[in-house]
Amino acid sequence: QVQLVESGGGLVQAGGSLRLSCAASGRTISSGGMGWFRQAPGTEREFIAGISSSTYYADSVKGRFTISRDNAKNTMYLQMNSLKPEDTAVYYCAARKFAGWGINTSDYHYWGQGTQVTVSS
């Protein structure tokens, strides 16, 4: 059974940084595409970054966030710099059964439970 567990969320001031982790079990993180999504209250879950053989970012985070993975630790990361209050959301990691990444929630087969990120102004 595939499990994804996020960690690293918290409260940070605007302009600060956080690094989220997504530890995988039941599969190797390199065996398929993975991504990060976020969901603020009253909004739909939105794609922010994906990684497979390449990386891709939503315009809202491009240049500030970096997605990466450590195959030896079977963990994916999201380094978030220059955080803004509008980045406040629950952040989810997701994994696909197949290679590649997608920007829709339906492109992913496995999800973590989410970790809260709050950016104060």
Side-chain angles (χ1 to χ4, degrees):
Q1 183 176 354
V2 176
Q3 286 191 320
L4 304 174
V5 179
E6 301 98 334
S7 61
L11 174 64
V12 63
Q13 288 189 330
S17 298
L18 283 174
R19 189 177 78 156
L20 305 183
S21 300
C22 173
S25 61
R27 62 164 270 169
T28 56
I29 60 169
S30 59
S31 63
M34 298 190 71
W36 286 97
F37 287 71
R38 66 186 181 189
Q39 187 168 20
T43 69
E44 294 187 350
R45 196 169 296 188
E46 65 168 346
F47 168 87
I48 54 174
I51 185 167
S52 184
S53 57
S54 61
T55 58
Y56 182 76
Y57 299 91
D59 288 344
S60 59
V61 305
K62 196 174 297 182
R64 300 189 297 124
F65 291 11
T66 303
I67 187 172
S68 63
R69 58 187 177 189
D70 185 332
N71 293 338
K73 296 182 178 180
N74 215 34
T75 300
M76 178 177 67
Y77 302 98
L78 185 69
Q79 177 66 43
M80 305 186 296
N81 299 327
S82 302
L83 283 161
K84 305 175 181 179
E86 51 264 43
D87 293 318
T88 295
V90 178
Y91 283 69
Y92 297 90
C93 70
R96 288 168 50 84
K97 292 181 179 178
F98 317 111
W101 41 260
I103 64 172
N104 301 304
T105 57
S106 58
D107 294 323
Y108 294 82
H109 305 93
Y110 309 105
W111 292 87
Q113 82 290 350
T115 185
Q116 176 71 47
V117 172
T118 303
V119 184
S120 63
S121 57

